[in-house]
Protein backbone atom coordinates (compact mmCIF):
# COMPACT_ATOMS: atom_id res chain seq x y z
CA UNK A 1 0.00 0.00 0.00
CA UNK A 2 1.51 3.32 -1.09
CA UNK A 3 0.75 6.18 1.25
CA UNK A 4 2.13 9.68 1.27
CA UNK A 5 2.85 11.24 4.63
CA UNK A 6 4.08 14.78 4.33
CA UNK A 7 3.26 15.93 7.86
CA UNK A 8 6.89 15.70 8.96
CA UNK A 9 7.81 18.15 6.23
CA UNK A 10 8.04 21.80 7.27
CA UNK A 11 7.40 23.31 3.83
CA UNK A 12 4.06 25.11 3.63
CA UNK A 13 2.21 26.70 0.73
CA UNK A 14 -0.58 29.15 1.56
CA UNK A 15 -3.51 29.32 -0.85
CA UNK A 16 -6.21 31.85 0.10
CA UNK A 17 -5.40 31.47 3.85
CA UNK A 18 -5.45 27.65 3.52
CA UNK A 19 -2.15 26.03 4.49
CA UNK A 20 -0.93 23.03 2.52
CA UNK A 21 2.02 20.99 3.81
CA UNK A 22 4.07 20.03 0.79
CA UNK A 23 6.69 17.53 -0.17
CA UNK A 24 9.18 19.16 -2.54
CA UNK A 25 10.00 17.54 -5.87
CA UNK A 26 13.03 19.43 -7.15
CA UNK A 27 15.10 16.74 -8.86
CA UNK A 28 14.33 15.11 -12.20
CA UNK A 29 13.65 11.75 -10.53
CA UNK A 30 11.33 13.22 -7.89
CA UNK A 31 9.44 15.22 -10.53
CA UNK A 32 9.03 12.14 -12.76
CA UNK A 33 7.64 10.05 -9.88
CA UNK A 34 5.45 12.79 -8.41
CA UNK A 35 2.36 11.32 -6.76
CA UNK A 36 2.37 8.11 -8.79
CA UNK A 37 0.95 5.10 -6.93
CA UNK A 38 -0.21 7.21 -3.97
CA UNK A 39 -3.54 5.86 -2.71
CA UNK A 40 -4.44 8.61 -0.25
CA UNK A 41 -3.51 12.26 0.18
CA UNK A 42 -4.81 14.24 3.18
CA UNK A 43 -6.71 17.40 2.23
CA UNK A 44 -4.04 19.69 3.68
CA UNK A 45 -1.10 18.00 1.94
CA UNK A 46 0.34 18.08 -1.56
CA UNK A 47 3.43 18.02 -3.72
CA UNK A 48 5.28 21.09 -4.97
CA UNK A 49 7.29 20.65 -8.16
CA UNK A 50 10.15 23.14 -8.57
CA UNK A 51 11.84 23.70 -11.91
CA UNK A 52 15.10 25.39 -12.88
CA UNK A 53 13.61 27.15 -15.91
CA UNK A 54 10.40 29.02 -16.58
CA UNK A 55 8.65 26.84 -19.19
CA UNK A 56 5.42 25.33 -20.54
CA UNK A 57 6.15 21.88 -19.09
CA UNK A 58 3.22 19.49 -19.07
CA UNK A 59 1.99 16.97 -16.52
CA UNK A 60 0.22 13.66 -16.93
CA UNK A 61 -1.61 11.29 -14.61
CA UNK A 62 0.03 8.00 -15.62
CA UNK A 63 0.07 5.60 -12.64
CA UNK A 64 -1.59 8.28 -10.50
CA UNK A 65 -4.38 6.72 -8.45
CA UNK A 66 -6.14 9.80 -7.07
CA UNK A 67 -7.74 12.77 -8.88
CA UNK A 68 -5.77 15.99 -8.47
CA UNK A 69 -5.86 19.73 -8.97
CA UNK A 70 -2.75 20.73 -10.90
CA UNK A 71 -1.98 24.35 -10.02
CA UNK A 72 0.51 26.05 -12.34
CA UNK A 73 2.41 28.98 -10.76
CA UNK A 74 4.61 31.53 -12.55
CA UNK A 75 7.88 33.17 -11.47
CA UNK A 76 5.92 35.91 -9.65
CA UNK A 77 4.16 33.23 -7.51
CA UNK A 78 0.84 33.87 -9.24
CA UNK A 79 -1.56 31.09 -10.28
CA UNK A 80 -1.75 30.95 -14.09
CA UNK A 81 -3.84 27.77 -14.51
CA UNK A 82 -5.78 25.28 -12.40
CA UNK A 83 -6.59 21.97 -14.03
CA UNK A 84 -8.72 19.25 -12.45
CA UNK A 85 -7.19 15.96 -13.57
CA UNK A 86 -8.41 12.38 -13.30
CA UNK A 87 -6.16 9.31 -13.04
CA UNK A 88 -5.11 7.90 -16.39
CA UNK A 89 -6.51 4.40 -16.70
CA UNK A 90 -5.21 3.61 -20.20
CA UNK A 91 -2.56 5.03 -22.46
CA UNK A 92 -2.12 7.37 -24.13
CA UNK A 93 -2.51 9.61 -21.09
CA UNK A 94 -3.57 13.22 -21.56
CA UNK A 95 -0.85 15.83 -21.00
CA UNK A 96 -1.92 18.90 -19.04
CA UNK A 97 0.06 22.02 -19.97
CA UNK A 98 -0.23 25.59 -18.69
CA UNK A 99 -1.28 28.52 -20.87
CA UNK A 100 1.75 30.52 -19.64
CA UNK A 101 5.29 29.62 -18.62
CA UNK A 102 5.58 28.35 -15.06
CA UNK A 103 8.33 27.77 -12.55
CA UNK A 104 6.34 25.84 -9.92
CA UNK A 105 3.46 23.38 -9.97
CA UNK A 106 1.42 22.35 -6.97
CA UNK A 107 -0.64 19.15 -6.89
CA UNK A 108 -3.40 18.78 -4.30
CA UNK A 109 -6.60 16.76 -4.07
CA UNK A 110 -9.07 17.46 -6.86
CA UNK A 111 -11.63 20.07 -5.87
CA UNK A 112 -9.55 21.76 -3.17
CA UNK A 113 -9.00 24.85 -5.36
CA UNK A 114 -12.76 25.21 -5.88
CA UNK A 115 -13.47 24.57 -2.21
CA UNK A 116 -11.17 27.36 -0.99
CA UNK A 117 -11.99 29.74 -3.86
CA UNK A 118 -8.55 29.70 -5.48
CA UNK A 119 -8.57 31.35 -8.91
CA UNK A 120 -6.19 32.22 -11.74
CA UNK A 121 -4.43 35.46 -10.76
CA UNK A 122 -4.26 34.66 -7.04
CA UNK A 123 -0.93 35.02 -5.27
CA UNK A 124 0.63 31.96 -3.63
CA UNK A 125 2.75 32.27 -0.48
CA UNK A 126 5.63 29.86 0.17
CA UNK A 127 7.01 29.27 3.68
CA UNK A 128 10.04 27.15 4.55
Amino acid sequence: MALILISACSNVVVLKDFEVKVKIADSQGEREKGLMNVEYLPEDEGMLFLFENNDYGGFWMKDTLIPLDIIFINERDVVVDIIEAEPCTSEPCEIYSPSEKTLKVLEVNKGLSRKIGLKVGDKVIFSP
Side-chain angles (χ1 to χ4, degrees):
M1 176 165 100
L3 206 10
I4 188 161
L5 297 172
I6 302 174
S7 300
C9 186
S10 62
N11 294 299
V12 174
V13 175
V14 181
L15 308 168
K16 304 286 281 188
D17 297 325
F18 186 85
E19 291 188 358
V20 179
K21 295 176 216 76
V22 295
K23 179 175 181 186
I24 304 294
D26 59 359
S27 72
Q28 186 62 30
E30 291 169 330
R31 290 188 296 257
E32 286 175 6
K33 182 177 179 196
L35 292 173
M36 286 180 171
N37 300 309
V38 172
E39 295 176 346
Y40 173 75
L41 183 67
E43 181 179 74
D44 67 341
E45 295 185 11
M47 180 165 277
L48 180 64
F49 298 80
L50 302 176
F51 297 91
E52 292 83 21
N53 300 309
N54 215 16
D55 204 353
Y56 291 99
F59 278 63
W60 67 349
M61 298 288 286
K62 183 177 186 301
D63 297 326
T64 303
L65 307 176
I66 55 176
L68 297 170
D69 281 357
I70 304 173
I71 304 167
F72 294 93
I73 304 163
N74 68 16
E75 75 282 354
R76 295 180 315 280
D77 296 337
V78 172
V79 175
V80 297
D81 273 309
I82 303 169
I83 297 172
E84 291 187 347
E86 293 292 331
C88 176
T89 55
S90 63
E91 291 193 48
C93 296
E94 184 173 354
I95 297 176
Y96 301 98
S97 297
S99 59
E100 296 179 30
K101 290 182 177 182
T102 58
L103 201 53
K104 301 171 185 134
V105 175
L106 176 63
E107 289 184 340
V108 295
N109 283 306
K110 180 181 173 187
L112 179 66
S113 299
R114 241 182 309 108
K115 181 178 178 179
I116 64 173
L118 185 69
K119 295 182 175 50
V120 170
D122 286 346
K123 184 86 170 159
V124 178
I125 299 168
F126 298 91
S127 300

